[in-house]
Amino acid sequence: ALLIVAGSVTAAELPKSPEVMETGKLTVANTLEYAPFEFTGEDGKPTGVNIELAAEAARLLGVELDVVRIPFTSMIPGLAAGRFKISWETFSPTEERLKQVDFVIFLKAGTVASTTREKAAEFNTENNLCGKRVGIVAGNVADFTADKLNIACKDAGLPEISKAVFPEAKDIVQAVLSGRVDARLDDATSSGYYEVISGGKLVVVKGLYDVSPLGLAVPKGDKETAEMMRAVLQAMIANGTYQKVMAKYGLTSAMVDEAYIVDSMDKVRK
């Protein structure tokens, strides 16, 4: 487990769950195995979007942050069994998962295109991928997104997207940089991260497709923990820390304006 001592509260008074009030700790389960959300840095310390946001949450609550490393497959069963109260990962709400847990949404996922900085101006139109050579990973959600976008191209009387299939995302990056394809179509979070680590050689262009929400998980019916996390995430959005962390990892396209609780699928906002 990782223990981080947080500073004093700097935001308005926030609600605290009974566990947090009793222990003086914000304990979160995390895999530490999915960059850019959570990973071990070169200094050997946990870092990433979720870790930095969790540290800020603890600071605002005026408590310590305790990150417990748990395999992803054990997250929802662990919450359902009461072994911990918060799994700070990036879950997509589903009917099956909602039988055991509730979610606090703080991100949105989707598919985006990225290209070189020199070509970015070519992607400013509404149907910006029509007529372009686009690299995708076979079977990736971007493959199906491209098919949907092609329907829009046809309806608008524009040339279709030309799909180039690659085995891995890194191969597409090289193809874009070398000019063999015009753009890379992939998950927004992955694309934003590649934008950062490429040193700006790749840029994400206008357009977010197949949008879906992502959130951390709490035990089913634990309204106090859910409301605490909703409130503290909203405080981070209000004080600008959320935006700074997201920008640091190239994930501004995945930001939301408001954190909210999902305890049934009809609460999901698209």
Side-chain angles (χ1 to χ4, degrees):
L2 165 73
L3 195 64
I4 300 175
V5 179
S8 59
V9 176
T10 58
E13 191 65 27
L14 294 165
K16 299 181 181 66
S17 68
E19 181 186 53
V20 168
M21 286 192 291
E22 180 181 345
T23 65
K25 296 178 183 178
L26 179 67
T27 300
V28 302
N30 188 276
T31 63
L32 297 179
E33 291 182 351
Y34 185 43
F37 295 104
E38 53 261 344
F39 58 99
T40 302
E42 294 180 359
D43 60 0
K45 296 180 181 180
T47 190
V49 175
N50 289 338
I51 301 302
E52 292 194 28
L53 291 178
E56 173 68 359
R59 188 184 73 81
L60 290 176
L61 290 166
V63 298
E64 296 175 348
L65 173 64
D66 190 11
V67 180
V68 182
R69 191 170 189 171
I70 302 288
F72 188 78
T73 53
S74 300
M75 292 290 181
I76 290 180
L79 287 166
R83 290 196 290 273
F84 42 87
K85 293 286 189 177
I86 301 165
S87 175
W88 201 313
E89 292 286 342
T90 48
F91 293 99
S92 297
T94 65
E95 291 280 7
E96 191 63 29
R97 287 172 171 173
L98 282 165
K99 293 176 182 177
Q100 301 183 77
V101 300
D102 294 329
F103 298 98
V104 182
I105 303 302
F106 68 100
L107 293 171
K108 61 184 177 183
T111 304
V112 296
S114 51
T115 188
T116 59
R117 189 171 297 280
E118 293 76 20
K119 286 186 177 181
E122 300 174 18
F123 291 80
N124 287 332
T125 59
E126 182 178 352
N127 296 298
N128 57 359
L129 298 184
C130 298
K132 299 290 196 300
R133 298 168 297 158
V134 176
I136 59 169
V137 174
N140 185 289
V141 67
D143 195 350
F144 306 103
T145 299
D147 292 339
K148 292 179 184 178
L149 293 174
N150 255 336
I151 295 174
C153 293
K154 291 178 183 178
D155 290 345
L158 297 170
E160 291 187 30
I161 298 167
S162 176
K163 293 194 298 186
V165 180
F166 292 81
E168 295 183 36
K170 61 181 178 62
D171 298 322
I172 308 176
V173 171
Q174 292 305 315
V176 174
L177 294 177
S178 66
R180 285 184 288 138
V181 297
D182 298 310
R184 171 180 181 268
L185 193 64
D186 202 355
D187 176 76
T189 55
S190 170
S191 298
Y193 188 53
Y194 273 112
E195 182 178 48
V196 171
I197 65 175
S198 73
K201 293 179 181 178
L202 282 180
V203 294
V204 175
V205 299
K206 177 183 177 182
L208 181 64
Y209 315 103
D210 294 333
V211 180
S212 63
L214 299 171
L216 56 84
V218 302
K220 191 69 185 174
D222 188 344
K223 297 183 183 301
E224 291 167 309
T225 300
E227 176 54 24
M228 174 183 70
M229 297 313 301
R230 185 210 64 78
V232 77
L233 282 161
Q234 193 60 40
M236 283 188 267
I237 292 171
N239 72 16
T241 304
Y242 170 82
Q243 293 86 342
K244 289 178 183 177
V245 172
M246 296 292 282
K248 176 180 177 180
Y249 291 93
L251 302 183
T252 54
S253 64
M255 294 193 306
V256 297
D257 296 325
E258 181 183 2
Y260 65 97
I261 297 168
V262 168
D263 55 15
S264 62
M265 286 303 292
D266 61 359
K267 302 283 184 66
V268 173
R269 304 175 190 174
K270 293 295 187 181

